[in-house]
Amino acid sequence: ICEEKTLSIIIPAYNAGKYLGKCLESCCRQDIPSGKYEIIIVNDGSTDDTGTIAEKWASEHVNIRVITQENKGLSMARNAGIEAATGKYIMFIDSDDHIAENSLSTLVDRCCKDNLDMLRFCAANVSDDTTDRRFSYTDGQIYAGKELLKERFQVCAPFAIYRKSFLDSNSLRFFPGIYHEDNLFTPQAYYLAEKAASTDDVIYMVRQTPGSITRTPKVKRGYDLIGIAGMLTGWAEENVEPQYRPFIYKQAADCLNGCFKLIGELPDTEADELSNTLNKNGKIVETFLRSSALTHRIEGFLIKIFPKRMKGVYDLLNWLRR
């Protein structure tokens, strides 16, 4: 349905030699002509055989190209891919994940037919020979993306396809140098999308790798989550209509709870350091109290009463939810 090049698949790759071939194979086993889509591998300063594998695939497939850069992190690798992309729509795939075979034509046809800003799809966890669906959507209706903020949505940016001109016109890019960059990008994308839709098809396969960055306790992750919470609340106050702000505050509060969870996984010295930072943050109570989620507002009320027991409040509420 779309004219010319329909889709750009952006694959950031850092020391991804073990899984990159599987990822690329899934991208090539598709039901749209190779001339209709491109695969952009961003080799982000890899020190293993990632570059060799990427160049080999590019030499064998006319629609694959490689961008090589110094290591700048996932955000900057994705941003480099966006800048280089020539497709009408953009899809992100992490190099250790893959997508379902013969799944792209349905996605791009839907996007082009309805001129969507974004189309979200379902994902599954993959481990050895086991595939477990992570969530479901209701097919069909087109929404303003901000309406979808009212439900529990997936913050993982690769779980959707985006119109490039939508990203460009709203200056939507990934914030550099941080972990959990999707927690900032995705709520903003949802709010700004004028036409968004969902499909219940399982498209994206998430490889379960215990040693991945977002599963490894690192104190920087905690500081980044605090920073993202602050950026989300500041952005909401300046740019979001009042009736939608509580849903952005909810995402910010989720980030802070992610930080509380991390404290329980860090060595004592780093955990104390992160706790002290949280205790000095005067915006935390306000963020929880303004969230759309009742549990967050209860958490905020308890933190207001026991300001030096933030982690204890989080642990108590988690225990009560069991």
Side-chain angles (χ1 to χ4, degrees), residues 249-250 253 257 260 284-307 309-310 312-321:
Y249 296 135
K250 177 184 181 298
N257 275 340
F260 289 137
I284 286 181
V285 170
E286 183 181 352
T287 299
F288 280 108
L289 289 175
R290 297 167 77 180
S291 168
S292 61
L294 176 60
T295 53
H296 285 161
R297 297 198 296 275
I298 293 171
E299 188 172 358
F301 175 74
L302 292 174
I303 289 174
K304 190 172 183 178
I305 297 174
F306 306 105
R309 297 286 185 270
M310 292 186 186
V313 168
Y314 166 79
D315 289 338
L316 173 64
L317 291 175
N318 258 3
W319 180 79
L320 291 173
R321 276 194 286 260

Side-chain angles (χ1 to χ4, degrees), residues 10-24 26-27 41 50 74 78 92-99 124-127 156 158 204-215:
I10 297 170
I11 306 174
Y14 173 72
N15 289 350
K18 186 175 180 181
Y19 302 116
L20 183 58
K22 170 72 173 177
C23 178
L24 291 169
S26 74
C27 294
I41 307 166
T50 293
L74 179 60
R78 284 178 176 168
F92 303 104
I93 304 178
D94 290 343
S95 55
D96 53 348
D97 298 333
H98 60 279
I99 56 174
N125 291 333
V126 178
S127 179
C156 188
Y204 196 95
M205 309 298 171
V206 181
R207 184 182 299 276
Q208 298 302 288
T209 49
S212 67
I213 290 173
T214 54
R215 294 187 178 91

Side-chain angles (χ1 to χ4, degrees), residues 13 25 114 155 254 287 293 303:
E25 183 180 18
D114 294 324
V155 298
D254 282 343
T287 299
I303 289 174

Side-chain angles (χ1 to χ4, degrees), residues 84-281:
T86 60
K88 183 172 183 177
Y89 284 90
I90 284 178
M91 183 179 193
F92 303 104
I93 304 178
D94 290 343
S95 55
D96 53 348
D97 298 333
H98 60 279
I99 56 174
E101 293 182 16
N102 298 321
S103 60
L104 293 182
S105 68
T106 301
L107 293 182
V108 297
D109 285 352
R110 176 73 191 281
C111 286
C112 292
K113 174 177 172 289
D114 294 324
N115 196 31
L116 298 176
D117 289 326
M118 63 181 291
L119 174 65
R120 58 184 190 167
F121 41 76
C122 294
N125 291 333
V126 178
S127 179
D128 297 324
D129 296 325
T130 304
T131 301
D132 296 315
R133 174 190 278 266
R134 291 174 61 146
F135 51 89
S136 293
Y137 287 134
T138 301
D139 277 324
Q141 193 169 346
I142 299 173
Y143 296 88
K146 62 184 70 173
E147 293 300 318
L148 298 176
L149 286 171
K150 296 177 180 179
E151 60 185 57
R152 186 172 182 84
F153 68 92
Q154 304 295 317
V155 298
C156 188
F159 295 174
I161 182 173
Y162 309 86
R163 186 160 54 85
K164 185 177 188 297
S165 60
F166 159 69
L167 298 181
D168 290 343
S169 63
N170 289 286
S171 300
L172 269 172
R173 295 294 188 268
F174 294 90
F175 195 88
I178 61 172
Y179 295 137
H180 303 287
E181 56 284 309
D182 292 0
N183 291 66
L184 179 61
F185 173 90
T186 305
Q188 293 178 333
Y190 268 74
Y191 180 76
L192 294 167
E194 294 181 5
K195 297 179 72 177
S198 312
T199 175
D200 196 45
D201 294 342
V202 176
I203 305 294
Y204 196 95
M205 309 298 171
V206 181
R207 184 182 299 276
Q208 298 302 288
T209 49
S212 67
I213 290 173
T214 54
R215 294 187 178 91
T216 304
K218 288 188 178 182
V219 70
K220 179 175 170 17
R221 285 179 49 205
Y223 288 120
D224 288 347
L225 285 167
I226 295 170
I228 290 168
M231 284 188 279
L232 278 174
T233 54
W235 177 76
E237 288 164 4
E238 292 184 10
N239 300 284
V240 175
E241 297 164 82
Q243 66 267 36
Y244 295 101
R245 286 177 194 163
F247 305 105
I248 302 297
Y249 296 135
K250 177 184 181 298
Q251 300 306 313
D254 282 343
C255 288
L256 293 172
N257 275 340
C259 188
F260 289 137
K261 178 178 184 295
L262 184 63
I263 287 172
E265 301 168 353
L266 288 169
D268 289 345
T269 302
E270 292 182 340
D272 290 343
E273 181 185 320
L274 197 54
S275 292
N276 289 335
T277 301
L278 284 163
N279 288 333
K280 294 174 183 176
N281 190 327

Side-chain angles (χ1 to χ4, degrees), residues 30-85:
Q30 292 300 325
D31 49 4
I32 56 177
S34 59
K36 282 279 191 177
Y37 74 110
E38 64 181 353
I39 301 166
I40 302 173
I41 307 166
V42 183
N43 179 16
D44 188 40
S46 298
T47 57
D48 67 353
D49 58 350
T50 293
T52 302
I53 294 169
E55 294 293 352
K56 182 176 185 297
W57 277 82
S59 69
E60 296 171 352
H61 297 80
V62 295
N63 63 332
I64 297 180
R65 55 190 169 116
V66 182
I67 297 172
T68 300
Q69 63 181 33
E70 295 179 1
N71 181 245
K72 298 178 181 178
L74 179 60
S75 290
M76 293 299 284
R78 284 178 176 168
N79 290 344
I82 295 172
E83 297 302 327

